[in-house]
């Protein structure tokens, strides 16, 4: 089969496997995003609340029924689904109705008041994911609409991994390996949750693909070559990076800030490295066309400078727009963390306490990683593989570093599934296929008719 057929087959297999759990993937924040999408689609607050609560409670009822079936003491008991659904629905709707009757700040904005106004405002400034959900929940309803949107965005992330790897000249089988890793590692699981992380991962990979186009000057696939033939790879890559950063501002503006800063830093590192290798003078570089590889022995180039400008522009615009639009400040985010989502009084010295918590968090996080070192081992393997494409590897490390920054900005050890740090998994997802690349070129002994010894044939 052609490579693009394999890409679609892998994405289709992933989608079919997700039918194992159509409901029950929601987190406590998911109902805020879903109700946001329903009100954008034209539903009233009470209608949006009812539909969202039905979806959430159906997931809880399904999970309770599955748990009861394998309970060693209660597997023969009647299903608790009906009771769990009724109790969940009554409790959620009672809290919402109380806030709706209060009016005022409780009913401002598009998000149904499942939570207090200060916490709800944090979700109000993230319209990107709800806007993405609107056509799906409008056409297919909440349950299947949310599931289908999650499948598409998670599947797209795997396809983008394939495109990134092909752009940096990784063989097709290893590019497909990267796509598979995206689906089977925690990245795919997190991308399937009805949260912003799936879109954040896809848009971050889009920006990374743009950087790869700028660095290599090649599209990697036939479809991509058709697009870049008109604009050129440098302009296309820069446009992809800029568009991804712009979309990230709507999805979660902190990720636009982190990714813009990291890409600008990576571009500066690559530019300085290239200038140093070039010797600072055209006469001291390598002669054109002679063993030149991306990132070695040449001047920084306009493409790298363009990425640096785009990254710096993203940082500046994010900070400016966040102030103009009165988005929650860093201090407000710290208070949200330290007060348990505003369920306790504000802290008098939040930053001092935040730094204390930050230190304790990473000590505990490291202790837990040492007891189950899959994640550190995967990061090390990905970083080692990134060395095979030095210039691109710097940008890969920069994209993965946004996961570390996101986790550092919210050092909460109780967040389920390590979803805040999930962007760091992009390092092994893309780096491990690079690490395995020498195996694709290893000579394979093939017996020759009439000969005793085998000869090496390079694949």
């Amino acid at each position: 089969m052609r490579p693009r057929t394999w890409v679609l087959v892998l994405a289709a297999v992933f989608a079919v496997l997700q039918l194992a759990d159509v409901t029950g993937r929601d987190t406590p924040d998911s109902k805020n995003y879903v109700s946001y999408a329903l009100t954008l689609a034209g539903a009233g607050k009470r209608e949006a609340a009812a539909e969202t609560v039905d979806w959430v409670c159906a997931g809880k009822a399904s999970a309770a029924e599955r748990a009861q079936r394998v309970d060693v003491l209660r597997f023969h008991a009647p299903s608790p689904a009906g009771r769990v659904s009724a109790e969940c629905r009554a409790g959620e709707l009672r809290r919402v109705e109380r806030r709706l009757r209060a009016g005022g700040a409780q009913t401002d904005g598009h998000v149904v008041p499942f939570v207090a106004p200060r916490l709800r405002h944090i979700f109000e400034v993230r319209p990107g994911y709800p806007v993405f959900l609107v056509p799906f929940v409008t056409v297919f309803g909440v349950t299947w609409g949310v599931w289908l949107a999650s499948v598409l965005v998670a599947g797209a992330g795997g396809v983008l991994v394939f495109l990134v790897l092909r752009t940096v000249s990784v063989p097709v089988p290893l590019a497909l390996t990267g796509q598979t890793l995206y689906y089977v590692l925690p990245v795919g699981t997190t991308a399937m949750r009805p949260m912003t992380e799936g879109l954040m991962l896809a848009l971050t990979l889009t920006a990374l693909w743009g950087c790869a186009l700028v660095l290599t000057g090649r599209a990697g696939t036939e479809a991509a070559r058709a697009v870049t033939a008109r604009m050129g790879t440098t302009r296309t890559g820069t446009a992809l990076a800029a568009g991804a950063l712009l979309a990230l501002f709507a999805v979660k503006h902190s990720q636009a800030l982190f990714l813009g800063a990291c890409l600008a830093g990576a571009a500066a590192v690559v530019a300085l490295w290239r200038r140093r290798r070039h010797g600072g003078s055209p006469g001291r570089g390598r002669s054109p066309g002679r063993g030149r590889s991306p990132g070695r022995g040449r001047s920084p180039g306009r493409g790298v400078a363009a990425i640096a400008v785009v990254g710096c522009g993203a940082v500046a615009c994010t900070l400016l727009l966040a102030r103009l639009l009165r988005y929650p400040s860093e201090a407000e985010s710290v208070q949200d963390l330290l007060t348990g989502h505003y369920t306790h009084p504000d802290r008098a010295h939040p930053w001092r306490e935040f730094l204390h918590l930050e230190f304790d968090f990473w000590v505990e996080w490291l202790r837990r990683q040492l007891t189950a070192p899959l994640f550190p081992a995967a990061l090390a393997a990905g970083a080692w593989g990134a060395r095979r494409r030095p210039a691109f590897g710097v940008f890969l490390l920069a994209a993965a570093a946004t996961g570390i920054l996101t986790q550092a900005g919210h050092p909460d050890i109780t967040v389920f599934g390590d979803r805040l740090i999930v962007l760091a998994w992009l390092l092994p997802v893309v780096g491990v296929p690079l690490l395995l690349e020498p195996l694709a070129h290893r000579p394979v002994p093939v017996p020759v008719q009439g000969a005793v010894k085998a000869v090496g044939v390079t694949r």
Side-chain angles (χ1 to χ4, degrees):
M1 291 190 291
R2 302 177 69 178
R4 63 184 177 187
T5 306
W6 279 111
V7 170
L8 294 176
V9 166
L10 286 177
V13 170
F14 173 76
V16 170
L17 294 176
Q18 303 316 303
L19 288 169
D21 201 2
V22 177
T23 60
R25 298 177 189 264
D26 60 289
T27 70
D29 295 342
S30 297
K31 56 179 176 284
N32 297 295
Y33 293 114
V34 173
S35 67
Y36 197 158
L38 289 171
T39 57
L40 288 176
K45 289 288 178 64
R46 285 180 171 83
E47 180 186 356
E51 292 188 45
T52 303
V53 167
D54 285 345
W55 170 70
V56 170
C57 295
K60 291 184 177 180
S62 177
E65 183 176 20
R66 292 196 301 269
Q68 186 266 339
R69 286 177 181 173
V70 292
D71 189 306
V72 295
L73 298 178
R74 301 175 56 252
F75 62 89
H76 48 72
S79 170
R83 174 181 55 80
V84 170
S85 179
E87 292 176 355
C88 169
R89 196 171 188 277
E92 292 286 353
L93 290 179
R94 183 169 57 251
R95 285 189 289 272
V96 170
E97 187 62 32
R98 184 172 63 250
R99 290 192 172 103
L100 288 175
R101 286 198 301 266
Q106 295 283 359
T107 56
D108 290 343
H110 293 281
V111 179
V112 170
F114 292 108
V115 293
R118 286 177 72 183
L119 180 57
R120 195 172 70 253
H121 186 53
I122 293 176
F123 298 100
E124 291 281 357
V125 301
R126 300 174 184 174
Y129 180 61
V131 169
F132 174 73
L133 284 179
V134 167
F136 296 97
V137 297
T138 301
V139 176
F140 301 100
V142 175
T143 298
W144 287 103
V146 171
W147 179 87
L148 183 58
S150 300
V151 164
L152 288 178
V153 76
V159 173
L160 284 164
V161 171
F162 176 86
L163 291 173
V164 169
L165 288 169
R166 289 296 294 143
T167 300
V168 294
S169 304
V170 173
V172 170
L174 291 179
L176 293 171
T177 300
Q179 182 184 1
T180 304
L181 288 174
Y182 186 91
Y183 294 149
V184 302
L185 289 175
V187 195
T189 303
T190 304
M192 276 298 299
R193 292 197 186 107
M195 297 280 288
T196 58
E197 278 74 23
L199 272 181
M200 286 167 54
L201 284 160
L203 291 171
T204 301
L205 283 166
T206 301
L208 186 62
W209 184 27
C211 295
L213 288 170
V214 167
L215 290 171
T216 62
R218 63 186 300 277
T221 64
E222 293 181 7
R225 281 194 290 272
V227 175
T228 57
R230 298 179 182 178
M231 294 178 60
T233 53
T234 298
R235 292 177 61 186
T236 302
T238 305
L240 282 172
L245 288 166
L246 180 62
L248 277 171
F249 179 83
V251 174
K252 192 175 182 182
H253 68 281
S254 61
Q255 176 62 12
L257 177 67
F258 293 153
L259 185 59
C262 288
L263 291 184
V269 170
V270 171
L272 290 172
W273 177 49
R274 285 181 170 181
R275 187 171 295 279
R276 183 177 179 182
R277 295 278 300 214
H278 196 63
S281 169
R284 295 179 60 182
R286 293 183 182 178
S287 58
R290 210 184 220 184
R292 178 178 290 180
S293 61
R296 292 191 177 184
R298 63 184 185 183
S299 59
R302 289 183 298 177
V304 174
I307 295 296
V309 170
V310 166
C312 291
V315 172
C317 290
T318 298
L319 293 174
L320 179 62
L321 287 175
R323 293 293 183 268
L324 291 176
L325 298 174
R326 297 183 178 179
Y327 280 11
S329 64
E330 297 82 5
E332 189 72 7
S333 179
V334 171
Q335 290 288 3
D336 169 48
L337 171 70
L338 297 177
T339 60
H341 301 310
Y342 307 113
T343 56
H344 293 79
D346 282 7
R347 303 292 182 128
H349 306 286
W351 288 108
R352 185 171 63 194
E353 295 188 36
F354 174 80
L355 293 176
H356 186 171
L357 176 63
E358 188 82 53
F359 176 80
D360 290 344
F361 170 85
W362 288 111
V363 171
E364 174 61 16
W365 182 88
L366 181 60
R367 186 195 66 80
R368 296 188 183 190
Q369 297 304 314
L370 293 177
T371 60
L374 173 62
F375 186 39
L379 290 179
W384 193 256
R387 295 171 65 253
R388 295 189 56 81
R389 301 290 191 282
F392 171 74
V394 174
F395 283 94
L396 174 58
L397 286 168
T402 60
I404 306 296
L405 291 175
T406 301
Q407 183 68 83
H410 199 86
D412 186 353
I413 204 72
T414 65
V415 173
F416 175 74
D418 294 331
R419 63 177 179 82
L420 294 176
I421 206 171
V422 69
L423 284 151
W425 278 100
L426 293 181
L427 182 56
V429 165
V430 179
V432 167
L434 290 170
L435 181 65
L436 298 176
E437 191 176 16
L439 299 179
H441 301 290
R442 178 176 294 179
V444 178
V446 178
V448 178
Q449 188 175 2
V452 177
K453 293 184 178 181
V455 296
V457 178
T458 302
R459 286 187 288 180

